[in-house]
Structure formats: structure tokens, C-alpha cells
Amino acid sequence: MNVMEPSVGAARQPTTLFATTPSASKAAGTKDTAGGSASARDAAAVVTLSETAQASLVTQTAPQTAGKKDFATVAKDARAAIDAKYAELAANGKPMDYMHATQESWDTVYGGLDRRSLFAIASNSDGSFSKDEQDTAQSIMSQQQGQAMMAADPTGNDHAARFRAGVAFLEGVSDEEKASANWAVQRAANQFGYEQTMRSSDREPDDLDSESPLVAMIKGAMDRLKDKSPEAVATGGYVKDLKDMPLFRDGVPVVAAGPGPSLDIRA
């Protein structure tokens, strides 16, 4: 099976295996900020931060340490940070407009956020972020992963190295992100892509198995569908619930708590 590598934008963008645009509806009572209407668009705008703004982002989360902020505080601080930036833009006569945002707007609002903060926004962890904000944060996160993957394959001739770098990148993100369904799908997909591309060139892949039972379950399902069309595996969007994936259209099997018998993968 040919692994799908959709482009995330017109410029050379992330080579993540699946599209990763959040599909969850905006939480009740959450307002669209500065006139950006999510319903007015069929798909989220692709956000590309400038090199200066990218340099200010923490693209891979630092190892977990004692005394770090709890995730609720991260979300609260992210909300306050982007609201302050909205106010700054408005005070300068350039209010944020998600339908027609400029590079300056993207950089101003999102350029100072680390990945954990971006995940708090993308996942709408406290229900305070609009669909525009979720889409933007996820687009930037996908861009970060894509940049890490392209750095491992600058010529575009070693897809196995690219997917392996994707696995390594995903292993470096926060515990909160690793607990998400979208992370598990991306982690399994990049391992699947790595193994497929290695074997297609008659090379034996290294063992990149995850300790996550959920990743192992998804990867097993992908292996069973590897001879089917890409659409049988692809999700088409940000994954919040595995039941929405075509991969599990007949139901999501129970995930074992640890090592044990093979899982009954139904796909």
C-alpha cells in the first residue's frame, strides 16, 4: 500500500501521514474571536509562521519535570496569552480576522506559544477555545512535526527516515498530548509508514513498537489493512474518537491494559 502523505499547504509543509484538522464543534458559549467565523469556511486555513516566530516555539516538549504547570493552568494561561495578543492587534488598528489573517497576525498571536500550550488550544481542553483557534493551533503543530520529518529527509528520497523522525518527534511531546487519540493514531501511522517503506526497499525495519496499548492496537489494525486502499486506513481529520475512524467502522476493540493475548481487531 502506498502511504498517504498529504501536503498541509501550498508551501512545502508537514508530511504527516494523516490530515490533522480538528473537527470538534466549538464549545457552547465560546465566542469566535475578532470576527473569525468557523462556519463560513469549509476547511481551516493553513497557518505558516515566519522563521522568527517558529524559532520562538518549543517544537518538542522538554522531558517531564516535577513542579511543572498542571494542564488546566496551561490552558488558562494560553487563553489569557492569545486574548492579550488580540487586544494588542486591535490597539494597533489591526484586529485579528481569521478569514483574512496576515503573517503578522499569526506570528503575533501564536508565535510565543510552546507545544503544550498549542495542544491545550487544539484539543479545546477547557472548552474556552473557538474552532478557529483550535484549527490554527493544530495546523502549527502539524507544521512542527512536518519540519522535524523533512529535516531527516531533506532530499525527499528517504521516506523511511522521514517516518522514523516522525516517531521520534511524537515520542518527545507532552504526556497530555500522548494521552490523546490523535497522538495514538499519528504514532501508529508513522511507525506503519516507516515499516512499509523499509520493507518495500528490502530492508528490515528496526523495532519501533510503542509502550502504549492503544498505539499497538491501531498499528495492528493498519497492518491488517495494508493491502487495501489508503482510504481504508486514513481518517480524514483530527481524531478525537476512534469510533469515527473508517479503520474501526465496525467497532473499536477493547484495549488491553498491558501485555497479553492478541487483540481482536475488527476493521
Side-chain angles (χ1 to χ4, degrees):
M1 182 186 110
N2 292 327
V3 177
M4 297 179 70
E5 295 184 85
S7 172
V8 182
R12 195 173 182 221
Q13 289 295 329
T15 51
T16 46
L17 191 59
F18 296 140
T20 52
T21 301
S23 58
S25 297
K26 183 174 53 181
T30 301
K31 64 181 180 180
D32 278 326
T33 308
S37 173
S39 62
R41 299 176 302 168
D42 293 327
V46 174
V47 179
T48 303
L49 297 184
S50 67
E51 291 184 3
T52 300
Q54 289 172 20
S56 71
L57 292 168
V58 178
T59 58
Q60 295 197 50
T61 304
Q64 304 301 310
T65 57
K68 68 174 183 178
K69 289 182 183 178
D70 64 82
F71 199 51
T73 300
V74 171
K76 182 179 178 180
D77 288 350
R79 176 75 269 165
I82 60 178
D83 282 345
K85 294 301 183 181
Y86 290 149
E88 178 183 322
L89 287 172
N92 291 331
K94 302 176 182 179
M96 185 65 172
D97 178 355
Y98 278 86
M99 290 291 288
H100 308 96
T102 64
Q103 188 67 61
E104 179 185 3
S105 298
W106 297 130
D107 291 349
T108 297
V109 178
Y110 293 93
L113 298 173
D114 64 15
R115 190 174 178 91
R116 198 165 173 235
S117 297
L118 289 169
F119 178 68
I121 298 170
S123 62
N124 197 21
S125 60
D126 67 354
S128 73
F129 299 100
S130 74
K131 181 67 161 56
D132 283 315
E133 291 163 347
Q134 294 172 58
D135 289 349
T136 301
Q138 185 60 50
S139 181
I140 295 169
M141 291 171 68
S142 293
Q143 182 186 141
Q144 292 174 346
Q145 181 181 337
Q147 288 169 341
M149 294 170 72
M150 287 189 291
D153 179 28
T155 65
N157 295 321
D158 190 353
H159 289 193
R162 184 184 312 174
F163 287 122
R164 182 165 189 153
V167 170
F169 179 89
L170 291 165
E171 286 294 337
V173 302
S174 68
D175 289 343
E176 293 86 7
E177 187 174 345
K178 287 180 179 178
S180 69
N182 195 63
W183 179 88
V185 171
Q186 281 288 325
R187 174 61 174 79
N190 277 272
Q191 181 182 350
F192 176 79
Y194 164 73
E195 292 179 359
Q196 288 291 94
T197 51
M198 286 289 286
R199 290 178 177 132
S200 68
S201 59
D202 297 322
R203 293 179 289 172
E204 185 62 27
D206 292 334
D207 182 357
L208 300 184
D209 287 348
S210 170
E211 295 179 357
S212 165
L214 182 57
V215 171
M217 181 266 286
I218 297 170
K219 169 62 168 47
M222 289 177 176
D223 287 339
R224 293 192 181 198
L225 289 178
K226 63 185 178 182
D227 295 326
K228 295 187 179 181
S229 67
E231 289 75 14
V233 177
T235 68
Y238 182 88
V239 180
K240 284 186 177 291
D241 190 337
L242 295 178
K243 296 191 295 294
D244 294 333
M245 292 179 62
L247 190 61
F248 300 110
R249 66 176 73 255
D250 294 327
V252 180
V254 175
V255 181
S262 298
L263 294 170
D264 179 17
I265 306 297
R266 294 172 295 165

